[in-house]
Amino acid sequence: MSDETLSCQELVELVTEYLEETLPPDARARFEQHLSKCRGCHQYVEQMRVTIRLTGMLTEDALDSRARDTLLDAFRRWKQE
Amino acid sequence: MDEQDERRTADLQLLAALRAGDEAVFNALVEQLYSSMVRIAMIYTSSQAVAEDVVQETWIAVLRGLDRFEGRSSLKTWIFTILTNRAKTRAQREARYVPLELPDENESEPAVESERFTATHHWRVDAMPGNWEGVPEDRLLSGETQRLILEAIDALPPNQREVIRLRDIEDFTSADVCNILNISETNQRVLLHRARSKVRRALESYLSQ
């Protein structure tokens, strides 16, 4: 393994830094060069993007009415303070 | 106007409405943040009831502090910082505080099982990641897929769970998350990487069924 090229196993550990745009320019160039030639890694990065997108679409549970009422009471008391 | 200005303007409008006692605005904000606040608090308190109590306390502290809020961070970041501080204090008082564990750089936690690579560290032909473009959007967005992702997140160690929730569900920036959790950029990124890698793995094994 030379310093100039990245293996697939190394690439998967750099995906987050790549997506966060925190890779130094030379490392980023090596990453992108590998991606352009490797179907497996290209698909891996795409899977990661899908994972992030789907996680971002999760909906939180609805708030129960008891908690809402307690907080609204607190808000009303605070207004009168 | 850049994104940060827009956020600041939106925050200022929100603040003005809250200070004026606008109940609809308060309810909407509570509705938006409550469930994730409880989940974050639970990481420290490990009990739903105590976590809900901490969230109630946090809102009261937020209201009392509104006049002091200076807008150096976003309103949401400020609320979550108060929340994590209160959750920690509460857990300490009840002697069940477990500090957020920082990632151990020496402890290897590979994103992908090493068996999937050849001796020269490239994908084995029979273990290459699949193409998800062919997966119908309906399946990706189904309730079953959502449940699977939530389960994968719930199964993570607390520190990874907290970071992925804040980053990918709550959409906080990395700088925000470092502030809220009081951790370095590097630690934040390592935790996020480990968390996302595991959720991807769970999705992969589910989608390949």
Side-chain angles (χ1 to χ4, degrees), chain B residues 102-118:
Chain B
L102 294 175
D104 182 351
E105 297 271 2
N106 301 318
E107 194 182 308
S108 111
E109 208 175 279
V112 176
E113 304 89 319
S114 55
E115 299 83 56
R116 294 181 64 177
F117 299 98
T118 63

Side-chain angles (χ1 to χ4, degrees), chain B residues 29-198:
Chain B
L29 188 63
V30 168
E31 192 79 47
Q32 187 202 337
L33 303 180
Y34 189 85
S35 300
S36 49
M37 288 171 76
V38 172
R39 285 185 198 274
I40 298 288
M42 268 182 74
I43 289 167
Y44 297 97
T45 64
S46 57
S47 132
Q48 172 96 18
V50 177
E52 288 193 27
D53 209 39
V54 168
V55 173
Q56 298 274 349
E57 271 178 30
T58 300
W59 279 105
I60 292 166
V62 164
L63 292 173
R64 298 216 164 113
L66 273 186
D67 287 332
R68 289 192 312 273
F69 175 67
E70 289 168 357
R72 270 187 309 229
S73 65
S74 74
L75 186 62
K76 195 170 146 184
T77 303
W78 180 65
I79 293 174
F80 275 81
T81 310
I82 295 176
L83 175 74
T84 47
N85 285 334
R86 295 214 155 229
K88 278 181 218 169
T89 308
R90 182 66 168 263
Q92 263 158 356
R93 207 161 63 210
E94 293 180 4
R96 62 195 309 173
Y97 178 61
V98 185
L100 195 73
E101 203 183 315
L102 294 175
D104 182 351
E105 297 271 2
N106 301 318
E107 194 182 308
S108 111
E109 208 175 279
V112 176
E113 304 89 319
S114 55
E115 299 83 56
R116 294 181 64 177
F117 299 98
T118 63
T120 53
H121 310 285
H122 290 277
W123 293 106
R124 267 179 29 205
V125 179
D126 59 348
M128 213 178 254
N131 184 351
W132 288 3
E133 271 161 39
V135 181
E137 192 71 1
D138 282 0
R139 179 152 193 229
L140 291 179
L141 301 181
S142 70
E144 205 183 331
T145 308
Q146 292 210 337
R147 267 193 303 282
L148 176 110
I149 297 173
L150 269 180
E151 279 168 18
I153 292 174
D154 285 342
L156 295 169
N159 52 9
Q160 296 177 20
R161 194 168 65 210
E162 183 150 22
V163 170
I164 196 171
R165 278 200 168 281
L166 290 170
R167 284 299 308 278
D168 291 345
I169 303 185
E170 290 305 317
D171 208 24
F172 281 106
T173 64
S174 57
D176 281 342
V177 174
C178 293
N179 278 332
I180 292 171
L181 301 180
N182 197 19
I183 56 177
S184 71
E185 281 277 346
T186 306
N187 282 331
Q188 192 267 156
R189 205 172 48 240
V190 171
L191 292 170
L192 181 65
H193 180 67
R194 291 180 176 177
R196 282 178 176 173
S197 300
K198 285 179 200 155

Side-chain angles (χ1 to χ4, degrees), chain A residues 43-68:
Chain A
Q43 283 170 183
Y44 185 86
V45 174
E46 285 310 305
Q47 288 189 358
M48 205 54 123
R49 290 188 203 274
V50 171
T51 302
I52 296 164
R53 176 167 69 91
L54 296 183
T55 305
M57 291 169 81
L58 291 178
T59 42
E60 295 282 1
D61 309 336
L63 168 60
D64 75 72
S65 58
R66 198 170 38 89
R68 190 201 330 261

Side-chain angles (χ1 to χ4, degrees), chain A residues 2-68:
Chain A
S2 75
D3 282 345
E4 288 85 51
T5 61
L6 209 57
S7 72
C8 303
Q9 199 165 9
E10 287 169 327
L11 185 138
V12 300
E13 298 302 342
L14 294 176
V15 169
T16 306
E17 280 178 82
Y18 174 69
L19 296 174
E20 298 274 282
E21 301 187 352
T22 49
L23 280 181
D26 54 333
R28 185 173 183 91
R30 274 202 300 275
F31 190 100
E32 285 175 341
Q33 207 201 350
H34 181 117
L35 265 197
S36 69
K37 289 186 301 196
C38 176
R39 192 162 56 98
C41 285
H42 175 77
Q43 283 170 183
Y44 185 86
V45 174
E46 285 310 305
Q47 288 189 358
M48 205 54 123
R49 290 188 203 274
V50 171
T51 302
I52 296 164
R53 176 167 69 91
L54 296 183
T55 305
M57 291 169 81
L58 291 178
T59 42
E60 295 282 1
D61 309 336
L63 168 60
D64 75 72
S65 58
R66 198 170 38 89
R68 190 201 330 261

